[in-house]
Amino acid sequence: MTYDAQVAERLEAEFAEIQARYPQPRSALLPMLHLVQSVDGYVSPDGIELCAMSLGLTPAEVSAVATFYTQFRRTPGGTYNLGVCTTALCAIMGGDAIFERLAQYLGIGDGGTTPDGLFTLERVECNAACDYAPVVMANWEFFDCQTPTSATALVDGLRAGQDVAPTRGPVRLRTFTEVARTLAGFDDGLAGEGPSAGAPSLAGRDVARDQGWQAPAADQRGRKGAR
Amino acid sequence: MSELTPVLTARWGMPDSWRLETYRRDGGYQALAKALTMEPSALVDEIKASGLRGRGGAGFPAGMKWSFLPKPDGGPRYLVVNADESEPGTCKDVPLMMADPHLLVEGIAITAYAIGCDHAFVYLRGEVVHAYRRLMGAVEEAKAAGLLGQDILGSGWGLELTVHAGAGAYICGEETALLESLEGKRGQPRLKPPFPAVAGLYARPTVVNNVETIASVPGIVARGVEWFTAMGTERSKGHGIFSLSGHVTRPGQYEAPFGITLRELLTMAGGIRAGHELKFWTPGGSSTPLFTAEHLDVPLDYEQVAAAGSMLGTRAIQIFDDTTCVVRATARWMEFYAHESCGKCTPCREGTMWLWGTVLAIQEGRGKPEDLDILADIPASIVGKAFCPLGDGAPSALTSSMRYFRSEYEDHIHLGGCPFDPAASILLEEVAL
Ligand SMILES: Cc1cc2nc3c(=O)[nH]c(=O)nc-3n(C[C@H](O)[C@H](O)[C@H](O)COP(=O)(O)O)c2cc1C
Ligand code: SF4
């Protein structure tokens, strides 16, 4: 193992913290792997070994788990993971065009990383934001209702070192490793940032308000009494 | 004419909607206080009487599921909330957790109390980090206010709630795969029976319910069974979120009684994209057979959608207009299943690859007339032979699109290419920045 003693010690302490959230320690494995990514930027051989030691598993058993999940990188990647949704709906609404433009703009293909280490580009599957199609996920934050131009503008902003705000997320996009630490369950204090919802989430509520529609009133006299 | 009934979505637009203070000001956690004065079994009976059905796709009655737990034996029992939301088209649970996480936390507390659970989990897909932050924040706020943790509201009963982020895998939405994943393993489905109610998380009795199901519980407890059953149809009671996406003027979340029709929803959503007509739509996500304009008046409840040849699923209504190549959409859905098949059983692992490869070849103009026979045959080798419902649902879009649009497949083969212009389907205009 090539972790220096301090890093290994901190990781082990945080592994223990994660394990304490569960009745059985092995349940902590996915968050532990997120934590490894927060240190190494991918699921490194060292990280696998440390997870295995911590849980009394073999490195092969840990690898078998890590390779099952798409969020775990097998090789180092960019500071910003750009995931363009190209499942059917987003693809047709413009996701394919966005992916093509980004691939050309960055000079990389699906899964590729730019030589400066800033961007990894991926096609991702449906990310539960279809009413905001087409969607780009940057480090698992929502960039809603995108076009090829808005997507390249996102790249430009990040390249220039500017603060870039997801549509529904914190006011400043964090790096891949910072987000990986959040996904390991360590509070980053950003829950209070960003909107409660975007316009599509509120579309039905707006219609109801304009029409004066509401859910029926509560039972006035309990179950038996009403009607 | 149906009207919308915002219940779960009612607070989403409020400033700081995700905070405890906002939730409490609107009556939040009063249902929990009421529940804690009731017998757990009375709560289970109440949810049974409400007819609340699971909102994660299959529509199984929630109260009945809870009542299947074996009698307490002194060991742990678990509640696991399914927040994996990954079925293409489904986009209701994530905005709920972002905007109103306390509604879910309150539902979890009531449900856990009802089933005798003192450690509950939310399994959230890992690709939605801001929803994770909001949930973690809500748990911390609730703990600090004595609404989670020990001796909740002075009842003597306590609950621990762990919010867990997955790491990307559609199959982890299937409840037994989810439990495997939550145990730190590859997310591959388990053989049923035993069902999770008997042997779930750590082989202990476990209830798995969808986010929207659990979020519906506080309303029923606070406002009553009659209030809930006043909405909906004979066997599909209550309110549900209908998610409209695609070629529609105002895509979004529309919370309505079960039994509303797409024609009604479209009126509210401003209709199909200007200048175009509806071509096909999914009533409940990509695993449910496609519908067309002839189904605009099908009441959207479990029974009537099934009678019309599809499934209500998660009410994930993906809408495509006349510019859309149905073969292209289908090819992409088949790619999804090939990518997401967990590989455990041969019919699905091999079958989904064949479906994808064959449809893609046709769409790209490499198809042969025999391919249509292959496509007609493969689904029979998957459906009913797969280990879990992912395989059973995988060919739905293909089978139904061949039923309604067979000539389009033939055209691709004869023309040696796709007759549609993909640029015409693109939703958003380029804006100069
Ligand atoms: C492939 C597959 C994916 C699924 N994904 C989800 C999901 O993301 N969320 C969900 O609640 N249920 C999902 N389900 C359904 C669950 O297996 C389970 O029925 C549901 O969580 C039970 O909750 P409910 O009764 O409240 O609906 C999925 C099922 C399959 C077969
Ligand atoms: S049907 Fe597909 S997803 Fe389900 S167990 Fe078989 S291979 Fe896995």
Side-chain angles (χ1 to χ4, degrees), chain A residues 113-140:
Chain A
T113 298
T114 51
D116 61 3
L118 216 44
F119 300 104
T120 295
L121 180 65
E122 273 185 329
R123 297 173 62 197
V124 298
E125 298 291 5
C126 186
N127 220 100
C130 315
D131 47 346
Y132 294 91
V135 171
V136 173
M137 303 302 296
N139 293 342
W140 314 115

Side-chain angles (χ1 to χ4, degrees), chain A residues 20-31 34 57 61 63-72 85-97 101 123-134 137-142 144-154 168-170 172 174 178-197 199-209 211-220 222-227, chain B residues 1-7 9-19 45-46 49 78 85-92 94-95 98-99 119 121 123 125-134 136-137 140 160 162-169 171-172 177 180-188 201-202 222-228 230-231 244-247 250-255 268-269 280 318-320 324-325 328-330 332-333 335-336 339-340 342 422 425-433:
Chain A
R21 299 176 200 147
Y22 303 91
Q24 294 190 10
R26 179 154 180 183
S27 283
L29 183 51
L30 267 55
H34 280 303
L57 301 170
E61 286 170 314
S63 283
V65 173
T67 52
F68 189 81
Y69 298 95
T70 51
Q71 277 184 295
F72 295 137
C85 178
T86 56
T87 310
L89 187 116
C90 267
I92 289 169
M93 300 302 140
D96 277 355
R101 178 78 68 85
R123 297 173 62 197
V124 298
E125 298 291 5
C126 186
N127 220 100
C130 315
D131 47 346
Y132 294 91
M137 303 302 296
N139 293 342
W140 314 115
E141 308 279 10
F142 289 108
D144 298 327
C145 304
Q146 294 294 294
T147 65
T149 307
S150 66
T152 52
L154 164 63
R168 290 173 292 148
R172 177 170 64 80
R174 297 309 202 268
E178 286 175 300
V179 169
R181 184 171 172 83
T182 310
L183 291 175
F186 292 98
D187 189 4
D188 57 15
L190 301 176
E193 294 187 9
S196 60
S201 301
L202 302 174
R205 186 215 58 161
D206 288 348
V207 173
R209 189 190 50 200
Q211 301 286 332
W213 292 338
Q214 298 176 356
D219 294 4
Q220 292 304 313
R223 276 173 54 186
K224 294 273 152 49
R227 211 169 347 187
Chain B
M1 174 76 186
S2 303
E3 298 183 356
L4 296 176
T5 49
V7 177
T9 54
R11 274 176 299 273
W12 290 9
M14 291 182 183
D16 286 354
S17 64
W18 61 89
R19 291 198 197 279
D45 289 344
E46 180 128 338
Y78 297 110
E85 187 157 76
S86 310
E87 166 81 11
T90 313
C91 49
K92 60 190 179 66
V94 165
M98 279 234 233
H119 194 161
F121 299 83
Y123 185 104
R125 67 180 298 181
E127 304 102 316
V128 289
V129 64
H130 209 51
Y132 190 38
R133 294 189 185 103
R134 290 269 163 89
M136 286 196 290
E140 285 313 310
E160 191 173 337
T162 300
V163 187
H164 174 97
I171 188 59
C172 290
E180 284 286 294
S181 179
L182 185 53
E183 291 181 3
K185 301 173 187 154
R186 294 166 72 86
Q188 290 186 311
L201 186 63
Y202 315 127
R223 304 194 213 180
V225 167
E226 292 209 1
W227 164 79
F228 188 74
M231 293 172 272
L244 270 59
S245 60
H247 291 132
R250 284 186 295 279
Q253 309 300 319
Y254 295 81
E255 190 174 5
M268 299 168 190
F280 60 93
Q318 305 173 87
I319 294 167
F320 298 87
T324 312
C325 172
R328 177 175 172 216
T330 304
R332 210 48 79 80
W333 278 318
E335 179 177 358
F336 173 81
H339 185 244
E340 299 299 332
C342 82
S425 300
I426 290 180
L427 194 59
L428 301 172
E429 302 267 331
E430 279 283 21
V431 273
L433 288 165

Side-chain angles (χ1 to χ4, degrees), chain B residues 4 12 19 44 90 120 124 132 184 201 233 250 273 299 308 332 340 356 358 370 388 402 408 412 417:
Chain B
L4 296 176
W12 290 9
R19 291 198 197 279
V44 176
T90 313
L124 175 70
Y132 190 38
L201 186 63
T233 59
R250 284 186 295 279
R273 181 168 69 138
R332 210 48 79 80
E340 299 299 332
W356 174 33
T358 313
E370 313 85 85
C388 89
M402 294 221 352
E408 241 173 72
H412 279 77

Side-chain angles (χ1 to χ4, degrees), chain A residues 33 36-45 73-77 176-177:
Chain A
L33 290 165
V36 166
Q37 295 211 114
S38 79
V39 173
D40 292 332
Y42 75 115
V43 175
S44 61
R73 290 173 168 174
R74 298 181 206 192
T75 51
F176 180 84
T177 52

Side-chain angles (χ1 to χ4, degrees), chain B residues 110-121:
Chain B
I110 296 171
T111 306
Y113 174 75
I115 65 169
C117 149
D118 54 24
H119 194 161
F121 299 83

Side-chain angles (χ1 to χ4, degrees), chain A residues 40-53:
Chain A
D40 292 332
Y42 75 115
V43 175
S44 61
D46 278 359
I48 288 175
E49 208 179 312
L50 206 63
C51 287
M53 271 164 45

